[in-house]
Each structure stands twice: as structure tokens, then as C-alpha cells.
């Protein structure tokens, strides 16, 4: 038996969806533990692409239970649309495959309106959020005025809580942000409709997962976003509003840390970032454009172009440490097929000083410049390679370099978006 946590090791979009889909074969339950529909996890099965925002990426495997843990924030409309989309494709034939914890916080219309209006008002200082209401929903959770799924399915409680909170939200929208106020009746009508449809998925993540553990089953915990977007350990304030690192898997599902066995960080063979914020190895040149084009780097949630840059071992070492990572999955290796040389950042230079650790002070980070080591590219197509020893020597050298400078073994290498374009070096469930 093994319980495995998957986390993004960079700024998101590392290919978590693909890796979770692959690993689901070994698991009985797949659980999301934080974030919301700011996530966009892409799965490619055969030639069919599926993008999931809320439902765990194990859902394409019939018979595997997918659980949305209490740490997630849930937009009911998006969730129901996602279910509909999956059913239309022939998935999720049995509704008991999907469970949502009653303590997930509900994203309300005012959360989305405030998120978007705040970003607009911030101008050049904006965070570049996905505009899905994620931050304002987590603010209300921590501020103890949130509405949870258990509240939503109880009409009296829902109406009471909404009545308490809405005047403050409307004050903020109208008086501070210059946006129209929202009508209570319209919200009640819309959300009562969702509640009726959501009831059948209601459950308790902690009870179900701990029962599963007692029965000797394997659980896969699916992180969203990335370690550098973590609200505590990321590049604050340019982060998301949840604990994206492995510790979040415990608080976000109600499973104790002693049951966690492996922590696998997903990292691209280079780096991307959507939204604003520091990115020391960013390439604002033709090389960056080449990476963006070869990697088709456009957001799965908002369609925004992703910023691109060379692999950053300083940032990755930070993620290895804060997660207690036991292995790395290196994705999108094939994107580097056609590069004469490939750079990896091994340290930062800060005012003439060499830094090997990721600076936790934003003012220092913004003044850091990458120190690179340059490796030769393999200049051949590796997208059909399925065994590690079939990889060209220079691709192996690149992977070895990553392992050496991050101190973490690469246990999976992805060479294309499809399931069959995967080299498994070590099975974390074995
Ligand atoms: P996630 O948010 O971490 O699940 O990642 P996204 O789905 O947002 O972005 C990853 C993108 O890269 C998706 O379009 C995947 O289909 C694609 N992808 C995943 N692994 C590979 C790979 O090894 N090679 C290539 N070329 N594309 C990949
Ligand atoms: P997946 O799970 C990449 C980024 C946004 C913005 C910041 C805050 O697909 O890897 P938010 O809407 O969360 O308040 O935005 O976080 N962001 C992501 N970037 N991948 C994601 O998810 C992201 N989710 C949020 O672009 O910079
Ligand atoms: Mg994504």
C-alpha cells in the first residue's frame, strides 16, 4: 500500500493532469485537496483531449473514486458543467465515482466580481489572477464568513448566511470598487438550483479516505497550481490563495501526515509562468518564443500565453525542500528536441554575491540574475521513446544534471502529451 502526493514543482501547468491520469491505474481513490477552477489539468487519451478544472484527473478511469477534498473552493456552475461534459463523452457513468466534501467553500458571484474588479483597479500592480474568485473565497474561509457546501444544501442556513454577508460584499462592490451591487433573490434562486443537483455528490473526504487506508487501498492526492504559487512559500504576493505544497494534502482532505508515503513533484524540463510576478530565468527573446511555440504554451484555463524560460534549479530546490519531495516527474522533454544548446540555472547572482538558495525576500529576488550552465542539446525526436535506455545520451545527461543539482531522482519522464508518451523509471506505488 502507498499513498502518493502529486504537486506542481514550479508555477503551475507542469503536466500534473497527465501524470495523475497515468498514476491513477495504481490507485483506488484520487483526491484534489486545494485550489478551485483556477486549475486547468489536461489529459490526452488517444487523440481526445480533456481539460479538467475541478474534478480529479483520475475520472477517465472507470471504477476509480474521485474525491474533492474540503480544502478545495468550488464553483457549482463550473462543477456541474464539467460533469455534463464528461458524461457527454461517455465518462462518469456511475455518479458514485465522484464525491465532494461538505466542507468545501462555495465560490459565490460576489467572489468572482470582487476578484475581477480588484485586478482592474490594481492596474500595473495586478496579480494576473484567473478571475475565478479564488482569492476572495479563501479570504472568506479564513475570515469565518464563508458558505460551505453543507450550508448550500440547507435552504434556511444558506439564506441566512447569504443575508449576513451580502450587504458587506455589495458595499465593497459599489462603494469601493465602483461595480454594481448583486441582488440577493437572484443568487438564492440560482444557487438553490445548484444545491439540488449537488446533493448526490455530497460526502466526507476524511471519512472515506481513512476508511480506504484501513482497507489497504492506494490513494493519489492531486495538487493544483505549483509550489512557487503557494500562499506561504511561493513568490508572495504573486501567488494563489491556498497551500499548494504537499502539506496541503493533509489539511485539504483530513488525512494525517503519517499516511503519506511518496511526494512527487512535477516539473517541466524548462519553466513557464502565467500571470505576473518574478521569474528569474524568463526569456524575453526569440529563444523564449521558440519554447512557447514548441511547447504550445497557452493557458488551459484562461488561454493566456505563458511566459517561458530555462530550467531553474534554485527555484526547484526550494520546492524539493518545502514539499519534502521524494521524486521528480520531468515533463515536456520533447519540447527541447530542436535546441542546439540548453541552459540550466544553477545559482543566482545578487549584487555580485552568489546565491544557491531561493531568496525568500521579494525585494532580493527581483534583483537576482540567473547563473547558467550550458549543455548540448540532443537534436533528435524523442517523442516516441518509451524506455529510459533508448533516450539519446545527451538527453540522459540533461536529466542527470537536473537530478544532480536538485538532489531529487527523476522517476518519470514525459515525452509528449499522450499516455503512451511516458517513460516510467520507478513506480511510486511499488
Ligand atoms: P497541469 O495544469 O499541470 O495539469 O498542466 P496543463 O494541462 O495546464 O499544461 C500542460 C500542457 O502540456 C497540456 O497541454 C498537456 O497536454 C501538455 N503536456 C503534458 N506533458 C507533455 C509532454 O511531455 N510533452 C508535450 N509536448 N506536452 C505535454
Ligand atoms: P494548474 O493547476 C498556472 C496563477 C494565476 C495568477 C496566480 C493567482 O493548471 O497548474 P488565482 O486565480 O489563483 O488567484 O491567480 O496564480 N495560477 C495558475 N498558474 N497554473 C494554474 O493551475 C494556476 N492557478 C492559478 O495565473 O498568477
Ligand atoms: Mg494547468
Amino acid at each position: 500500500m502507498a499513498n502518493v502526493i502529486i504537486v506542481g514543482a514550479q508555477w503551475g501547468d507542469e503536466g500534473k493532469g497527465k501524470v495523475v491520469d497515468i498514476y491513477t491505474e495504481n490507485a483506488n481513490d484520487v483526491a484534489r485537496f486545494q485550489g478551485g477552477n483556477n486549475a486547468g489539468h489536461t489529459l490526452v487519451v488517444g487523440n481526445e483531449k480533456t481539460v479538467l478544472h475541478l474534478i480529479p484527473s483520475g475520472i477517465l478511469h472507470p471504477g476509480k473514486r474521485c474525491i474533492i477534498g474540503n480544502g478545495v473552493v468550488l464553483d457549482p456552475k463550473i462543477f456541474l458543467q464539467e460533469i455534463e461534459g464528461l458524461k457527454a463523452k461517455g465518462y462518469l457513468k456511475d455518479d458514485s465515482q465522484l464525491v465532494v466534501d461538505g466542507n468545501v467553500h462555495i465560490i459565490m458571484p460576489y467572489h468572482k466580481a470582487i476578484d475581477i474588479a480588484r485586478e482592474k483597479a490594481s492596474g500595473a500592480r495586478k496579480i494576473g489572477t484567473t478571475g475565478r474568485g479564488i482569492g476572495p473565497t479563501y479570504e472568506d474561509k479564513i475570515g469565518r464568513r464563508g458558505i460551505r457546501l453543507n450550508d448550500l444544501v440547507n435552504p434556511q442556513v444558506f439564506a441566512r448566511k447569504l443575508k449576513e454577508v451580502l450587504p458587506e460584499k455589495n458595499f465593497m462592490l459599489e462603494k469601493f470598487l465602483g461595480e454594481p451591487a448583486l441582488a440577493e433573490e437572484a443568487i438564492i434562486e440560482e444557487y438553490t438550483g445548484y444545491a439540488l443537483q449537488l446533493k448526490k455528490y455530497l460526502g466526507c473526504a476524511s471519512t472515506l479516505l481513512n476508511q480506504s487506508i484501513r482497507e489497504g487501498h492506494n490513494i493519489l492526492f492531486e495538487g493544483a497550481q505549483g509550489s512557487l504559487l503557494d500562499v506561504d512559500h511561493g513568490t508572495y504576493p504573486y501567488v494563489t490563495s491556498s497551500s499548494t505544497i504537499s502539506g496541503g494534502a493533509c489539511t485539504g482532505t483530513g488525512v494525517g501526515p503519517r499516511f503519506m508515503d511518496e511526494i512527487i513533484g512535477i516539473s517541466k524540463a524548462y519553466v513557464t509562468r502565467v500571470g505576473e510576478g518574478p521569474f528569474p530565468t524568463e526569456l524575453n527573446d526569440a529563444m523564449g518564443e521558440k519554447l512557447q511555440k514548441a511547447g504550445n504554451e497557452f493557458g488551459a484555463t484562461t488561454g493566456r500565453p505563458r511566459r517561458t524560460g530555462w530550467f531553474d534549479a534554485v527555484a526547484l530546490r526550494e520546492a524539493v525542500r518545502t514539499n519534502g519531495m521524494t521524486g521528480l516527474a520531468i515533463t515536456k522533454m520533447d519540447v527541447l528536441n530542436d535546441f542546439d544548446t540548453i541552459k540550466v540555472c544553477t545559482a543566482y547572482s545578487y549584487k555580485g554575491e552568489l546565491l544557491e538558495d531561493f531568496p525568500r525576500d521579494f525585494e532580493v529576488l527581483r534583483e537576482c540574475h540567473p547563473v547558467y550552465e550550458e549543455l548540448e542539446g540532443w537534436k533528435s525526436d524523442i517523442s516516441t521513446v518509451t524506455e529510459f535506455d533508448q533516450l539519446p545520451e545527451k538527453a540522459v545527461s540533461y536529466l542527470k544534471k537536473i537530478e544532480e543539482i536538485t538532489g531529487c531522482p527523476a522517476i518519470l519522464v514525459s515525452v509528449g502529451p499522450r499516455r503512451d508518451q511516458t517513460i516510467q523509471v520507478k513506480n511510486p506505488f511499488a
Side-chain angles (χ1 to χ4, degrees), residues 8 12-18 39-44 49 51 57 222-223 225 266 268 270 294-301 306 330-335 413-418 421:
D13 301 328
E14 300 92 345
K16 297 175 292 294
K18 174 187 161 161
H41 295 181
T42 313
L43 323 183
V44 181
K49 180 167 138 176
V51 180
S57 300
E222 175 181 7
Q225 290 77 55
I266 318 298
K268 281 176 186 167
Y270 49 98
N296 191 25
E297 295 298 353
F298 295 91
T301 294
R306 295 175 181 147
I330 304 293
T331 62
K332 303 194 98 163
M333 274 289 282
D334 55 299
V335 173
V413 182
S414 175
V415 293
R418 293 196 317 267
Q421 294 175 300

Side-chain angles (χ1 to χ4, degrees), residues 3 26 38 52 107 116 121-122 125 129 132 160 167 217 334-335 337 359 387 422:
N3 298 318
N26 305 282
N38 47 350
L52 297 167
I107 299 181
I116 292 165
S122 302
R125 297 179 66 82
T129 72
R132 303 301 194 255
R160 175 172 56 77
H217 294 160
D334 55 299
V335 173
N337 281 344
E387 301 293 332
T422 311

Side-chain angles (χ1 to χ4, degrees), residues 118-348:
R118 268 203 201 128
E119 284 283 278
K120 200 167 83 184
S122 302
R125 297 179 66 82
K126 70 172 196 263
I127 286 169
T129 72
T130 59
R132 303 301 194 255
I134 306 297
T137 307
Y138 278 113
E139 280 175 42
D140 280 356
K141 169 178 171 167
I142 302 301
R144 298 165 295 184
R145 56 182 167 266
I147 295 177
R148 310 206 281 193
L149 180 55
N150 280 328
D151 303 323
L152 179 63
V153 296
N154 182 330
Q156 285 78 33
V157 175
F158 177 57
R160 175 172 56 77
K161 292 209 165 183
L162 183 65
K163 219 178 261 300
E164 279 166 15
V165 80
L166 194 59
E168 189 185 318
K169 301 300 173 189
N170 276 338
F171 181 85
M172 166 87 127
L173 279 168
E174 271 191 307
K175 307 276 191 257
F176 187 68
L177 294 164
E179 297 291 328
L182 300 170
E184 186 183 306
E185 281 316 307
I187 298 178
I188 291 197
E189 198 185 320
E190 183 186 350
Y191 276 63
T192 305
Y194 299 146
L196 293 172
Q197 298 176 71
L198 282 169
K199 255 186 179 156
K200 65 171 169 238
Y201 300 105
L202 190 64
C204 173
S206 179
T207 305
L208 294 172
L209 292 170
N210 282 283
Q211 172 74 24
S212 218
I213 290 169
R214 276 196 299 277
E215 288 169 8
H217 294 160
N218 291 340
I219 301 169
L220 181 56
F221 294 86
E222 175 181 7
Q225 290 77 55
S227 305
L228 300 171
L229 288 170
D230 182 273
V231 69
D232 287 285
H233 301 282
T235 46
Y236 192 90
Y238 298 95
V239 294
T240 191
S241 298
S242 63
S243 295
T244 61
I245 59 168
S246 57
C250 294
T251 55
T253 59
V255 175
R258 76 184 173 105
F259 296 114
M260 304 303 183
D261 300 292
E262 297 286 332
I263 296 149
I264 310 304
I266 318 298
S267 167
K268 281 176 186 167
Y270 49 98
V271 184
T272 66
R273 176 165 202 172
V274 225
E276 310 302 315
F279 180 175
T281 63
E282 182 168 16
L283 293 165
N284 289 306
D285 57 11
M287 203 58 102
E289 267 175 48
K290 186 175 170 177
L291 272 176
Q292 189 184 68
K293 209 161 158 222
N296 191 25
E297 295 298 353
F298 295 91
T301 294
T302 56
R304 288 179 290 176
R306 295 175 181 147
R307 299 155 64 193
T308 54
W310 294 121
F311 185 86
D312 184 343
V314 184
L316 205 89
R317 284 196 291 265
E318 175 81 2
V320 167
R321 190 184 70 241
T322 55
N323 284 285
M325 236 177 250
T326 58
L328 278 170
I330 304 293
T331 62
K332 303 194 98 163
M333 274 289 282
D334 55 299
V335 173
L336 301 178
N337 281 344
D338 190 32
F339 284 77
D340 293 329
T341 58
I342 302 165
K343 288 186 184 172
V344 291
C345 166
T346 54
Y348 295 156

